[in-house]
Amino acid sequence: MDHRLRPAVTAAQNLRRDDLLAASTTMGAVTLHVGDLVAMSAYYREALALTELPGTGGPGRVVLGRGRTPVVVLRHTPGLPPTSRHQAGLFHTAVLLDTEEALAAAVAHAARHPLSRFVGNADHWVSRAFYFTDPEDNGIELYWDRPRETWQRSGGRVAMGSDWFDPQAYLQQHLDESALAGASGQEARVGHVHLQVGDLTVARRFYVDTLGLELTADLPGALFVAAGGYHHHVAVNTWNSAGAAPRAASLGLGQVALTVPGQDDVDALRDRLRHARVPVRDDGRTLRFDDPWKTLVEVAVA
């Protein structure tokens, strides 16, 4: 081996690492524009066993989560048209539970609520997931991750599938009455967000090349991207929205949030956004900018 090549290789590797979001990047709360703040707040409290976080709300704004972790921010925005299943925007907000017992309790809460619509469940190999729709047609995923060491990887990609399993048998196996009664006290957070977009090539250019997430999997009509080797923090698909134009104002998704560990991460992302000529609203510690479909993205220091 010619040792003179080593510095060039190392520099290229360092440059690539500088272009990535930190491995410890996490998702923050998802903001939804809602037409009926009272009804939607009640739904997320009762169906998802979330609680209103003290000192975080305001006029026309309710923040709900578990413990001190916000999961959803509801903004009362009356007069907006309902979201369309064919426009760019939210496919679902994915709420991650720490244990299968906690997942079963969350699913039981959601399933028992009269305004929930259960739309399916799947074993994704890396996780098990249940899907619901809220009263204003926003998708919700409730899921539990298998241990990372059990995930299958090949060529930098994470193997993911979508196998059916019996939801009733799952609840019978994992539902615990004490976990059900104490669901609001169990950990829960946004694990990932799944978006509808108009074009996967444009989405990859934005979420991978500019934002700095890594491609972890691709399926027909969908891409999955993440930081730090997670299976995905953001997914994008064109299953219902191929060719969708930038979003007009509507109910539904208001903002996607990511949290990075340090100021250096914010500074590096600011440079990438400016290089890509993405307009940025910047207060020094928080960057706010739109993706190509006018979905607002916020990146802030933890």
Side-chain angles (χ1 to χ4, degrees), residues 92-289:
H92 60 241
T93 299
V95 181
L96 177 61
L97 288 305
D98 283 346
T99 67
E100 291 192 89
E101 290 73 23
L103 173 59
V107 169
H109 269 283
R112 292 175 181 179
H113 197 283
L115 298 182
S116 282
R117 283 173 285 167
F118 175 64
V119 294
N121 60 284
D123 186 330
H124 293 306
W125 307 352
V126 295
S127 63
R128 280 189 163 180
F130 294 79
Y131 298 92
F132 295 86
T133 303
D134 77 14
E136 293 192 4
D137 291 325
N138 300 293
I140 300 166
E141 175 183 341
L142 303 173
Y143 78 110
W144 162 80
D145 276 337
R146 288 189 168 90
R148 282 201 188 201
E149 59 268 21
T150 68
W151 302 354
Q152 299 297 309
R153 301 177 187 268
S154 177
R157 305 294 178 89
V158 180
M160 291 189 284
S162 192
D163 297 337
W164 185 83
F165 63 93
D166 185 337
Q168 294 297 333
Y170 187 88
L171 292 182
Q172 289 173 3
Q173 180 181 358
H174 296 289
L175 187 59
D176 176 271
E177 287 303 320
S178 62
L180 183 60
S184 63
Q186 296 159 1
E187 292 289 330
R189 59 196 180 279
V190 176
H192 65 266
V193 177
H194 196 144
L195 303 174
Q196 297 192 160
V197 299
D199 183 278
L200 293 184
T201 300
V202 174
R204 178 171 178 167
R205 190 179 304 130
F206 179 83
Y207 283 99
V208 176
D209 299 342
T210 300
L211 185 54
L213 296 168
E214 294 182 275
L215 183 66
T216 56
D218 55 350
L219 298 173
L223 298 175
F224 301 82
V225 297
Y230 192 52
H231 54 72
H232 64 295
H233 286 110
V234 177
V236 295
N237 78 64
T238 57
W239 297 327
N240 300 315
S241 56
R247 303 172 58 209
S250 71
L251 296 177
L253 182 62
Q255 177 180 287
V256 172
L258 296 91
T259 301
V260 293
Q263 186 62 42
D264 289 348
D265 304 291
V266 169
D267 296 341
L269 176 58
R270 182 190 298 111
D271 290 343
R272 293 198 299 276
L273 291 166
R274 288 175 176 169
H275 181 74
R277 298 183 179 179
V278 175
V280 180
R281 285 145 280 181
D282 177 5
D283 68 3
R285 290 179 60 84
T286 301
L287 306 176
R288 303 177 82 232
F289 49 94

Side-chain angles (χ1 to χ4, degrees), residues 33-37 75-83 136 248-252:
H33 292 296
V34 301
D36 189 331
L37 182 61
R75 288 190 175 275
H76 188 215
T77 319
L80 290 180
T83 187
E136 293 192 4
S250 71
L251 296 177

